Amino acid sequence: MSFSLFSPKNRIINFVLNEHSIRFVELKQANPPIAQKWGERFLPPGIISDGKIIDFESLANIIDECIDEWKIHKRSIRFLVPDSLVIIRKLSIPSEIQADEMKGFLYLELGTSIHLPFEDPVFDTFPLTDNGKTKEILLFAAPEKYVMEYADLFTSLKLIPVAADISPLALYRLYFQMDLASQNENLFIVQFDLTSVTMCIFEEAIPYVMRHFPIPFEINKWEMNKEKDGMLEFKYMGDASELAYQFEDILKEMNKLIDFYRYSLNNGKKEVTKLLLSGDHPLLQVILEKVKDRLDIPVTTISLDSYAKGKAGMVPTRHLLSLGLALKEVQ
């Protein structure tokens, strides 16, 4: 006999929005991760750009239709902060700064010893080391204005935002939950989507460095079809050499980040030991083969197999982020 982790009335909806889609997963149980239901809706270009909401009214109307279609009225939700808005920094601060003083101290240091490319950040911290004089922390920051626009949007549609997260943590959470992590592992996560690529390097379960790169997306060069299960399928109809150039550029950026981590951050004493490739790009399998050919690092993917199978069948792999987000605070 098995029991669900949550009672139905307490199950949280997990939203992932990017420039080309809205997705959600409702988790049935966490171990193994099994989804109760999921859904997807295409977003036309220009509604969200560089992680920022450009057309608030159109996005609100589309999400409102999704709420009706997916029957998720007045539910509590988690959502991902767009990767393009997120910065991860390692900082050294005096050891005497206590946990309850951390945010006040960081706000005081903004613009002097701490410099961010935006004003009025919302942030979180994670402790690393403490030698008695100074301690190192990781700072996760994003511009409060744009993060709150998403929270306010959901609230205006009578949804209840209860938590926000970042995509590398969501994906790592699923990777860990499925018992794929190894001890002393330096994992390079590459999330290769239709309109952007996010890269993040983890030591054990800690993300140390993150980069985000937009990808040119011309909708007239893609043929979009809706499958019987409601999922969207994209087929590229343009010049194949254009995508090849895109892939080459991203491979160069991957190599740069690997070298930055090894030499600039660790003086050659640490290196990436494994690469996890994920994402919703229609040619992800082609990208996987290119990565395996070009990088001298073991490359893996997340295969759901018997995991995440709900009443409607197997959860598509492009819902991995939503599934990882659903595991937040349930482990």
Side-chain angles (χ1 to χ4, degrees):
M1 188 175 196
S2 61
F3 295 90
S4 294
L5 183 64
F6 307 111
S7 63
K9 67 178 180 179
N10 290 328
R11 288 197 187 122
I12 298 175
I13 300 302
N14 301 277
F15 266 99
V16 173
L17 282 77
N18 54 35
E19 295 188 9
H20 59 279
S21 69
I22 302 171
R23 299 186 179 118
F24 93 100
V25 160
E26 181 180 337
L27 194 68
K28 182 178 182 182
Q29 69 178 51
N31 193 14
I34 295 178
Q36 176 77 6
K37 58 182 180 179
W38 55 89
E40 179 180 33
R41 174 75 176 262
F42 177 68
L43 272 184
I47 292 180
I48 296 176
S49 179
D50 197 28
K52 302 164 188 172
I53 301 174
I54 305 301
D55 189 340
F56 193 96
E57 184 177 353
S58 293
L59 183 57
N61 289 336
I62 292 172
I63 294 178
D64 200 29
E65 291 173 3
C66 292
I67 291 170
D68 285 337
E69 179 184 345
W70 298 335
K71 297 179 175 57
I72 54 173
H73 302 83
K74 299 181 180 180
R75 299 288 292 278
S76 295
I77 68 160
R78 302 182 187 94
F79 68 96
L80 289 182
V81 177
D83 295 328
S84 58
L85 302 179
V86 177
I87 285 177
I88 301 176
R89 292 265 176 89
K90 185 161 71 170
L91 302 176
S92 292
I93 65 172
S95 285
E96 62 263 24
I97 303 299
Q98 301 301 310
D100 59 351
E101 303 170 327
M102 188 75 69
K103 287 195 174 181
F105 172 81
L106 293 174
Y107 274 120
L108 285 174
E109 294 299 309
L110 286 173
T112 54
S113 65
I114 301 173
H115 298 279
L116 297 175
F118 44 77
E119 296 180 351
D120 301 322
V122 57
F123 54 74
D124 201 355
T125 60
F126 185 86
L128 295 175
T129 61
D130 188 342
N131 64 15
K133 293 183 179 179
T134 61
K135 54 186 173 185
E136 289 191 329
I137 63 167
L138 281 181
L139 174 71
F140 302 85
E144 184 177 27
K145 172 186 175 183
Y146 299 118
V147 175
M148 290 308 300
E149 282 184 355
Y150 284 92
D152 292 343
L153 171 64
F154 291 126
T155 301
S156 72
L157 297 170
K158 295 184 171 55
L159 297 173
I160 308 165
V162 295
D165 203 1
I166 62 174
S167 71
L169 284 175
L171 194 58
Y172 187 88
R173 195 177 294 117
L174 180 63
Y175 172 82
F176 183 85
Q177 186 81 340
M178 295 176 68
D179 202 26
L180 299 174
S182 304
Q183 282 192 335
N184 303 316
E185 180 176 79
N186 300 325
L187 181 70
F188 186 19
I189 291 182
V190 179
Q191 178 78 13
F192 209 123
D193 292 328
L194 187 63
T195 56
S196 67
V197 177
T198 297
M199 307 176 191
C200 189
I201 298 178
F202 282 73
E203 290 182 15
E204 300 289 332
I206 303 171
Y208 273 81
V209 58
M210 176 177 169
R211 298 286 187 272
H212 176 81
F213 303 93
I215 297 177
F217 176 68
E218 298 177 62
I219 191 171
N220 61 316
K221 294 183 179 179
W222 291 87
E223 180 182 280
M224 183 179 67
N225 295 302
K226 196 168 187 178
E227 301 296 299
K228 290 180 181 179
D229 60 2
M231 295 296 104
L232 301 172
E233 293 294 335
F234 289 86
K235 182 178 180 182
Y236 188 65
M237 307 301 290
D239 184 349
S241 64
E242 292 182 11
L243 286 187
Y245 289 136
Q246 287 183 12
F247 297 163
E248 284 300 314
D249 287 344
I250 295 300
L251 281 166
K252 289 176 184 176
E253 295 298 340
M254 290 167 63
N255 269 310
K256 285 181 187 177
L257 191 56
I258 290 169
D259 287 344
F260 174 77
Y261 174 78
R262 183 177 184 180
Y263 298 110
S264 297
L265 289 185
N266 293 294
N267 298 315
K269 296 177 181 177
K270 291 182 181 179
E271 60 185 359
V272 169
T273 57
K274 188 195 294 186
L275 189 150
L276 171 64
L277 182 67
S278 186
D280 67 20
H281 199 286
L283 298 176
L284 193 65
Q285 191 60 39
V286 174
I287 297 164
L288 175 63
E289 296 306 317
K290 286 182 177 293
V291 171
K292 285 181 176 179
D293 287 343
R294 297 283 290 277
L295 299 181
D296 189 23
I297 301 170
V299 181
T300 189
T301 59
I302 294 179
S303 176
L304 293 174
D305 296 329
S306 60
Y307 292 97
K309 193 169 184 179
K311 287 191 226 176
M314 188 71 69
V315 178
T317 54
R318 55 182 175 269
H319 284 279
L320 292 180
L321 282 180
S322 306
L323 201 57
L325 178 59
L327 295 172
K328 183 177 176 66
E329 297 167 358
V330 301
Q331 292 164 298

